[in-house]
Amino acid sequence: MSLIIKTEAIVLRAIKYSETSKIVTFYTKELGKIGAIVKGARKRESKVGSALEPMSYVQVVLYVKESREVQLVSQIELIQSFHHIASDLERISVGLSLVEIVNAIVHEQEQNVPLFLLLKDSLSELENLSLSPSFLLWYFELKLSELLGFAPVFDSCGKCKKALTTDAGTSWQLYSISRGSPVCNTCSVTQETLTHLSTNAVQALGKLISIPDVKKLNNNYLEVQKNEEIETFLTKYLQLHVPGFRIPRSREMLKAVS
Ligand SMILES: [Zn+2]
């Protein structure tokens, strides 16, 4: 069976295929992740070049045959290229991390409209130069785990469910990464591996995950920046709970140069 589908998509990856063509991995709104050949993309007179860069937001017409592994693009049009992201290294690293993460964790042709919208809107917000790129990455990672059904909690004990206050004068809390929740003092006598998280990080993460929409994200939500601690926590959390997740190469490259 074959069908022709017009859909919005974000370019996850593009590789040279032949003298004139490229194979592009799209994350589409209608069909999820899909690989397709764009013929003529590498010809000098081709107008589709910028539509094929990773992170580009495009409208694409796909000719899909079930028997084929790689599909065919019959039309492609750039909707937005997020050119402000390219203005600084950290913004590029975060933008590329978002597409790398999605590429690593989703399966071919599994539609997930909320995830598509989270990716598209996050790239769009990354264009906002007043917003900290790190906050955006953390927000994306938290919402991603929520969408996949593994949302971490930060305000109650994972064992006895008692509400935990972070303003009781303590500077850290015990956290169970496997449970995805803090563990109160009474319950902390356990065989589980527990991590120490600073109260500031717990508060910041709790605030971040409570923001309903990436468009509402702003730097005011987090007064204290605990960059490395939060980033390390989220990486460990996603590695344990999200199959296929690995530290994005673009993030590692940024750390190597900074
Ligand atoms: Zn407890």
Side-chain angles (χ1 to χ4, degrees):
M1 216 185 78
S2 63
L3 65 162
I4 292 171
I5 288 173
K6 187 177 188 177
T7 177
E8 293 165 55
I10 299 288
V11 174
L12 300 179
R13 210 162 95 97
I15 52 170
K16 292 173 194 168
Y17 175 59
S18 64
E19 281 303 304
T20 56
S21 305
K22 277 186 171 180
I23 292 185
V24 179
T25 308
F26 295 100
Y27 193 56
T28 69
K29 189 175 182 183
E30 304 300 328
L31 296 171
K33 176 163 116 171
I34 196 162
I37 295 184
V38 184
K39 290 191 171 161
R42 302 187 60 221
K43 284 189 184 152
R44 201 174 296 164
E45 67 275 21
S46 171
K47 290 188 185 116
V48 299
S50 60
L52 298 178
E53 297 296 322
M55 300 190 278
S56 289
Y57 174 34
V58 297
Q59 172 111 282
V60 65
V61 177
L62 289 162
Y63 180 50
V64 180
K65 248 189 190 170
E66 264 175 25
S67 56
R68 271 193 311 230
E69 228 171 84
V70 178
Q71 310 302 333
L72 211 61
V73 169
S74 67
Q75 265 181 53
I76 182 162
E77 204 177 297
L78 183 67
I79 300 174
Q80 204 182 345
S81 68
F82 306 121
H83 59 274
H84 281 149
I85 296 176
S87 67
D88 81 68
L89 218 50
E90 185 170 19
R91 234 160 260 281
I92 298 171
S93 122
V94 168
L96 290 174
S97 295
L98 304 188
V99 297
E100 252 187 80
I101 291 169
V102 170
N103 194 25
I105 64 159
V106 300
H107 298 289
E108 296 267 335
Q109 300 202 30
E110 268 183 24
Q111 188 192 35
N112 187 335
V113 176
L115 180 55
F116 171 81
L117 295 175
L118 176 66
L119 177 62
K120 173 180 83 75
D121 292 340
S122 298
L123 288 169
S124 188
E125 286 308 301
L126 198 53
E127 282 276 277
N128 171 0
L129 297 179
S130 60
L131 183 69
S132 152
S134 295
F135 292 176
L136 193 109
L137 178 64
W138 303 338
Y139 181 80
F140 178 86
E141 291 181 335
L142 285 168
K143 287 292 159 176
L144 178 73
S145 52
E146 194 174 82
L147 281 179
L148 299 175
F150 307 105
V153 300
F154 300 99
D155 56 1
S156 59
C157 170
K159 287 188 98 174
C160 70
K161 310 297 172 199
K162 186 175 84 179
L164 295 173
T165 47
T166 46
D167 52 10
T170 53
S171 56
W172 50 267
Q173 245 179 31
L174 290 167
Y175 197 94
S176 161
I177 291 183
S178 59
R179 242 177 231 284
S181 70
V183 173
C184 75
N185 286 339
T186 320
C187 297
S188 67
V189 190
T190 164
Q191 301 296 316
E192 284 176 70
T193 310
L194 299 174
T195 304
H196 284 80
L197 263 189
S198 74
T199 303
N200 286 334
V202 171
Q203 282 172 339
L205 286 159
K207 269 187 188 173
L208 263 182
I209 201 168
S210 72
I211 301 168
D213 189 323
V214 67
K215 292 171 189 155
K216 302 227 156 54
L217 189 63
N218 67 60
N219 296 343
N220 301 338
Y221 275 101
L222 305 182
E223 287 134 29
V224 187
Q225 298 193 25
K226 283 272 171 188
N227 294 12
E228 264 178 40
E229 187 188 12
I230 290 179
E231 192 145 339
T232 307
F233 166 78
L234 284 171
T235 299
K236 281 188 189 158
Y237 188 81
L238 293 174
Q239 278 173 330
L240 192 67
H241 293 278
V242 179
F245 179 86
R246 51 179 187 262
I247 301 173
R249 272 185 313 147
S250 344
R251 204 61 188 159
E252 283 189 323
M253 274 155 63
L254 178 76
K255 286 197 176 135
V257 298
S258 55

